[in-house]
Amino acid sequence: MNDTNSAHGLTPWHGTTIIGVKRGGKIVVAGDGQVSMGNTVMKPNARKVRRIGDKGRVVAGFAGATADAFTLFERLERKLEQHSGQLMRAAVELAKDWRTDKYLRNLEALMIVADADTLLVLTGNGDVLEPGEQNDTTIAAIGSGGNYALAAARALADYEDDAEKIARRAMQVAADVCVFTNEQVTLETV
C-alpha cells in the first residue's frame, strides 16, 4: 500500500495489525487500536474488529485504509444477508465483485473474517484465502505488524492451548516490534 494517494496528493489513514486464531473449537480475532496517517498516530483506540451480519455471528477485522475497510464491511454485510449468513459463500461473492468492480479494485484494505467454523483472509486483490492448519491451530495475520503477530502466534501454539491467550500475546509482541501497532487490543470470540 502506498503512503500517498497520488490522485489527490493526500496521505490515507491506515489501520494496522489484525490476527485470527482458531484452536480448540474457538476462533478469536484481535486487532490493535492505532490508526496512523503517514508516520503520525491519529487515533490510539480505534475498533478495527467488530461483529457483523445477522446477530453478530461473523467477526471481521481490517488492516489498511480505514474508509476502504468500512466500504468492505458494508459490502460483506450485504453479501451475508443475501446468502443467509453463509460466510464462505458471502466472501467468495464479495471477492467476485472486488475483482470486477472498478471502484472496489482500488480499495486498499485487507480483512480477516470468521464465523464459528471458518477463518478467512480477504485480500486487496479480491482473493479469499483459508489459512492452513498446523498442530491443530489455524492462524492468520494482516497489516504492518501482521508478520510479527503471525510468527509469535505460531511459536506460542506449541505451548499454549487457549486461542485468546495466543492472540493477546501475539498482539503484544507485534506492538513491541512494529511502530504502527499499539497495545490497545480489541478482541472478539466466535
Side-chain angles (χ1 to χ4, degrees):
M1 289 184 224
N2 297 334
D3 281 344
T4 58
N5 180 336
S6 58
H8 303 343
L10 301 175
T11 302
W13 303 66
H14 285 274
T16 52
T17 305
I18 305 292
I19 188 165
V21 179
K22 179 181 179 183
R23 185 173 183 125
K26 184 166 136 180
I27 300 179
V28 173
V29 178
D32 75 311
Q34 184 167 304
V35 175
S36 305
M37 183 166 23
N39 293 327
T40 303
V41 175
M42 299 303 292
K43 185 173 184 176
N45 60 348
R47 278 188 52 92
K48 295 181 256 176
V49 175
R50 58 191 57 197
R51 292 184 173 277
I52 62 172
D54 182 41
K55 299 179 185 171
R57 293 182 186 164
V58 172
V59 174
F62 73 88
T66 306
D68 292 353
F70 285 124
T71 298
L72 292 174
F73 274 139
E74 291 170 6
R75 298 266 181 140
L76 181 57
E77 278 191 301
R78 277 188 252 152
K79 294 296 182 185
L80 285 165
E81 287 173 14
Q82 291 172 0
H83 300 288
S84 304
Q86 297 175 37
L87 178 58
M88 181 65 83
R89 179 112 187 258
V92 168
E93 292 302 318
L94 176 64
K96 286 179 185 177
D97 288 352
W98 205 332
R99 287 177 174 264
T100 58
D101 185 289
K102 197 176 202 179
Y103 172 72
L104 287 177
R105 278 187 301 209
N106 292 319
L107 297 181
E108 294 182 1
L110 297 127
M111 295 176 70
I112 290 181
V113 296
D115 64 11
D117 303 311
T118 309
L119 177 66
L120 302 171
V121 176
L122 307 181
T123 75
N125 297 325
D127 295 316
V128 177
L129 305 172
E130 189 168 17
E133 183 177 305
Q134 291 181 312
N135 303 328
D136 299 323
T137 307
T138 303
I139 303 167
I142 58 174
S144 61
N147 286 336
Y148 306 118
L150 178 64
R154 284 188 178 171
L156 289 164
D158 289 340
Y159 306 100
E160 179 58 61
D161 289 329
D162 185 81
E164 182 174 337
K165 288 181 181 177
I166 292 169
R168 284 190 185 281
R169 183 65 185 123
M171 288 300 295
Q172 178 64 52
V173 169
D176 289 346
V177 179
C178 178
V179 298
F180 296 107
T181 303
N182 72 10
E183 298 174 356
Q184 302 279 332
V185 174
T186 301
L187 187 134
E188 292 284 350
T189 303
V190 185

